[in-house]
Amino acid sequence: MKQVTVTVPATSANLGPGFDCLGVAWQLYNRFCWRREPSGLSVTVRGEGAASIPADPDNLAVQAAERLFAHVGQRPSGLSLIQDNQIPAGSGLGSSATAVLGGLLGANGLLDNPLSQAELLALAAGLEGHADNVAPALHGGLTLVVGDEPAPRYLVECLPVADLTAVIILPEFELPTATARAVLPLQVPLGDAVFTLGRLGLLLPALATGDYARLAVAMADKLHQPYRLPLIPGMPAAFTAVRQAGAAAVALSGAGPGLLAFAPENHEMIGKAGQAAFAAVGLTSRVYQLAIDRQGSQVQWL
Ligand code: HSE
């Protein structure tokens, strides 16, 4: 294959109690256009994050492609990548998962698909460190992913989800995922585990049916959000503000710093309320209203 274009959706991992296993895909995309070339490597990055994303061998999509080439022991003599980003980088919307999948699916396509979806997911999860963004980015919709022996093997369940609209508020604040993971305890009290486990059970049917009353209870957790909220200036106040503006349920998008709120209506007011809370601590922010992507990653060949 000479040219392959991969379109990968944004995702929100965790959704409150689904830490490291639950995620949902959104209709906001990064696109990766790969071409075989006679020699060398050329990388162009456009759109969101273009100024900071490397346009050289350090580019994450290129590294993921190289990982697949090494895995199968074949590599085109030369390669070009044009990466068009709509997804803000470092926001908790899974932009790095899109790069990993953009690279793996592109490389797999250029080599006429030596790897299965399950093998691609295992490679992607290895590169990302966790699978809860890559699973929905690959399959679309709502997914639950569970690591299984013999590692690296993942069981993915594509779950029903209603046509929900999310308000996502992204403060201009840098919170590397490594920092947001470093504050988490290695052990949690049994009561906190039970609190979270019950809510994950409640969350799945609430998401399937769009039951806002249940979502309001179900999107809380005690495994990660209590430790992470204080890292983001204005975030506890933003949680309160969006609830007061009519959000039924609110959670961090992934590890943050994005905030995700579900509501039946008043999406614009909810966005403005969250922005005001961040503005009060001197942070500008952007608001997105996103619908669920149900297709997952799309690969086109020329
Ligand atoms: N589940 C991961 C975390 C997602 O919360 O650290 C990171 O996007």
Side-chain angles (χ1 to χ4, degrees):
M1 212 57 67
K2 196 156 178 0
Q3 182 171 320
V4 176
T5 299
V6 187
T7 305
V8 189
T11 47
S12 289
N14 302 331
L15 298 168
F19 178 64
D20 273 0
C21 55
L22 193 65
V24 68
W26 303 119
Q27 291 180 21
L28 184 72
Y29 302 93
N30 286 350
R31 203 172 67 224
F32 304 82
C33 181
W34 297 92
R35 270 182 77 86
R36 280 176 181 268
E37 304 290 350
S39 63
L41 171 72
S42 129
V43 181
T44 306
V45 183
R46 303 192 288 224
E48 288 288 341
S52 55
I53 294 172
D56 59 28
D58 287 338
N59 179 289
L60 184 54
V62 171
Q63 292 193 337
E66 297 289 5
R67 176 81 182 78
L68 186 140
F69 296 142
H71 185 82
V72 300
Q74 268 187 79
R75 190 191 188 285
S77 47
L79 210 55
S80 73
L81 165 66
I82 298 175
Q83 178 176 345
D84 273 302
N85 288 344
Q86 288 185 335
I87 305 169
S91 59
L93 284 176
S95 65
S96 73
T98 72
V100 165
L101 284 174
L104 293 177
L105 291 168
N108 201 43
L110 288 175
L111 298 183
D112 293 325
N113 301 317
L115 296 192
S116 68
Q117 297 274 94
E119 289 168 317
L120 289 165
L121 181 74
L123 274 184
L127 287 165
E128 268 280 280
H130 37 84
D132 51 346
N133 286 110
V134 288
L138 185 62
H139 296 285
L142 179 70
T143 61
L144 185 81
V145 62
V146 176
D148 190 29
E149 299 298 330
R153 192 174 87 120
Y154 293 88
L155 302 179
V156 180
E157 202 59 44
C158 293
L159 299 166
V161 58
D163 281 327
L164 299 165
T165 297
V167 180
I168 308 266
I169 306 165
L170 304 179
E172 293 291 333
F173 179 77
E174 205 173 316
L175 179 62
T177 301
T179 308
R181 291 185 82 84
V183 296
L184 303 182
L186 293 178
Q187 294 179 335
V188 293
L190 184 63
D192 290 359
V194 172
F195 177 101
T196 307
L197 194 60
R199 278 165 176 78
L200 179 57
L202 190 65
L203 181 62
L204 301 184
L207 288 170
T209 56
D211 182 334
Y212 290 101
R214 287 211 159 128
L215 281 176
V217 178
M219 263 177 41
D221 92 291
K222 288 195 178 180
L223 296 188
H224 68 109
Q225 296 184 109
Y227 306 98
R228 288 171 162 176
L229 256 59
L231 299 177
I232 307 162
M235 186 57 89
F239 266 48
T240 304
V242 298
R243 282 200 186 99
Q244 283 169 351
V250 54
L252 287 179
S253 179
L259 172 160
L260 178 164
F262 286 124
E265 56 194 6
N266 294 335
H267 296 119
E268 211 175 312
M269 267 174 52
I270 290 166
K272 287 195 170 128
Q275 282 192 295
F278 288 120
V281 294
L283 290 181
T284 56
S285 56
R286 290 195 276 173
V287 179
Y288 291 76
Q289 285 184 32
L290 297 177
I292 289 172
D293 166 276
R294 295 181 184 278
Q295 293 192 311
S297 296
Q298 301 292 305
V299 183
Q300 287 175 304
W301 292 273
L302 275 186

